[in-house]
Amino acid sequence: MIKLAFFNLFRRKIRTFLAVLGIVIGITALITLTAVIDGIYNEMTSVFGSFQGVMVMQKGVADQPFSRLEESLGQKLTNVQGVRTVVSEIWAAPKSIDNQPLRFTSMSSFVFIYGIDPAQYKKLRGSGWIGELERGEMLGSNDKSYVLLGKNIADDRKKFVGSNIRVNEKQFKVKGILKTESELYGNIIVMDIDVARELAGISKDKVNTFYVELEDPKEDKKVAQLINFLYGSQVEAMATSDFSETVSNMLGNFNIVAFAIAAISAFVAAMGIINTILMSVMERYKEIGTLKASGWTSWSIMKLILLESAFMGLLGGLIGIFIGIAIAHYIDTYFGIPTLVTTNSVVQAALFAFFVGLFAGAYPAYRAAKLDPVEAMRGA
Amino acid sequence: MPKKKVIEMKNVCKEYTMGKVKVKALCGVTLDVYEGDFIVIIGPSGSGKSTMLHLMGALDKPSSGKVFINGKDLQTLDDWGLAMLRRKFIGFVFQSFHLIPTLNALENVMLPLEPTKIDDIEKIKRAKELLKIVGVEHRMFHKPTELSGGESQRVAIARALINDPKIVLADEPTGNLDSKTTMQIMDTLQKMNKEKNKTFIIVTHDLSLTKYGNRILYIKDGLIDKMEER
């Protein structure tokens, strides 16, 4: 019966194709949207999820490079209850690399400098923003002419441990390559904080931000509150777990949009399928009558028609999934927006399409099953 | 040994409502059909012969009177019961074959068994055997569009026999065929009747087919006008 139902779809290829188109568009949109959402979510969790701490920056500024804080504040923060150690940070955008000016064309091309004090960094229990190294070694206290590179920038520019790299007017040697494959941190250039200050034009006693490591990482929200209470007039402290929560809340809204689109397109697609299957049932009155005459029960007829429409849904779903994956891949490659197609979303989309088809087949199947075999054979 | 009764019709009437008008298609028909009968029903169009065939094939229930098929009263059966009765005891052959265009000859023959639990190997075995008997074994992988009228009807006959029914009902089985093919098809039906002791009931308005029957029924205005036995 499965084979029969399947081949029945191809009796009117163009009609089937048109009926399936609605599902194709809906599933394509669903797969693409969820791929973008999952991609961004995955990106964010890979950045923020690996460690928990508190970020401290100047109050009221939009982004880390615009923040200016006294370095002496770091010592004060160390004394706040629950704080284990504090790292001073410099964030800056380089003007050129290897004498080529940098242009911001996409998220993945966004290169930035991260300046740290290796001695401070060594005290961290976790690995901070830098994460683990894939190759080479961590910067030492006297490595002022060395850098660590994110994996993407190293791959893009064919840099290895020991390679030379010129950032603005300064020549460096690559000491290590970072493991992280995240789009955001894949293009990081890690260097000594004094050198970074120089490149960014920041005076000696200032830093952009502090990264605060905690005695108990679960206390990050509490400590952030405490810092805001103590130094709230100058600084803003954010728990990294708050970051990921904000991100997932935002993405949650996108998810609702994605499902609304899916629901609307499912409704439209279902109408198309109902219409098509109903027409094909009417065209096949004699055939259905013949099946009934040869001992097919109403239920068997119903199953056949339901299978046909469910297949129609599934067919559209599979085409939609295929196109959706292609578009997601395109977005990732050409726009640098991270996308991630999960098995989960593919299975969900396929099931969704299948059930939309099945649901749409209910009425036509009922009509076919209720046909009087005598009437059906007259072809009325 | 007395012959077994396979169909019993007792004072059967069948009415249809066409719009607001009630039409009596059949009225007061009483008939016993025995195992091994080859009945030819002759009558002009509109005489009620197709209605009679539908009643004997459990496709329809009488408005009044009783129809028993293999001892079962149609009136007592629901939709499912009628379907089961057709599946077990009845095969149908139609004027325009009604083969499914997407399936080949073999698959068309197997179609009535599709909702059953019989395994595929058995289905294929039975279908091949029947195609051999009706003489179109060499065409079994051809689609209906590639078959001639005679070949199509042979496939349809094989399909009617796949359930090993006691009764085969044919509505104008040769209506779309030329006279030579008609003879071949009728010979095939007669062979199945003789060799397999199956009951055949053929509805037609072709008088030349009467020579095949052991009983000839003449239907006129919803009544059995005349019955000849040979």
Side-chain angles (χ1 to χ4, degrees), chain B residues 113-148:
Chain B
L113 298 180
E114 187 64 42
T116 67
K117 289 201 171 72
I118 299 167
D119 71 89
D120 284 356
I121 297 167
E122 172 67 18
K123 283 180 195 169
I124 292 169
K125 201 184 120 199
R126 276 203 220 172
K128 275 185 176 169
E129 202 179 289
L130 283 166
L131 284 170
K132 196 174 172 184
I133 294 171
V134 297
V136 280
E137 196 196 14
H138 60 294
R139 308 289 278 166
M140 83 183 153
F141 296 118
H142 289 260
K143 296 270 167 72
T145 46
E146 299 157 355
L147 300 174
S148 71

Side-chain angles (χ1 to χ4, degrees), chain A residues 49-80:
Chain A
S50 52
F51 61 97
Q52 276 181 316
V54 174
M55 262 188 62
V56 179
M57 58 195 248
Q58 188 186 336
K59 195 177 182 175
V61 297
D63 224 340
Q64 292 98 321
F66 304 112
S67 160
R68 290 288 184 281
L69 297 170
E70 297 291 329
E71 182 151 35
S72 57
L73 182 64
Q75 194 53 48
K76 292 180 195 158
L77 290 174
T78 318
N79 297 329
V80 173

Side-chain angles (χ1 to χ4, degrees), chain A residues 1 3 290 292 296 298, chain B residues 79 86 98 107 111 114:
Chain A
M1 194 177 299
K3 195 183 159 199
T290 309
K292 282 202 153 183
W296 279 49
S298 299
Chain B
D79 188 52
R86 293 195 291 267
H98 295 180
E107 290 163 337
L111 201 56
E114 187 64 42

Side-chain angles (χ1 to χ4, degrees), chain B residues 37-69:
Chain B
D37 266 351
F38 199 112
I39 298 178
V40 177
I41 301 176
I42 297 273
S45 49
S47 58
K49 57 188 193 307
S50 287
T51 304
M52 199 165 153
L53 199 74
H54 294 151
L55 288 170
M56 290 193 283
L59 286 177
D60 215 345
K61 291 181 185 180
S63 310
S64 67
K66 294 249 178 228
V67 176
F68 295 91
I69 295 173

Side-chain angles (χ1 to χ4, degrees), chain A residues 139-159:
Chain A
L139 292 180
S141 291
N142 295 315
D143 289 338
K144 296 200 190 290
S145 57
Y146 286 91
V147 291
L148 307 176
L149 293 182
K151 199 169 158 46
N152 294 356
I153 186 173
D155 286 349
D156 290 351
R157 294 175 186 273
K158 303 201 166 41
K159 299 290 183 191

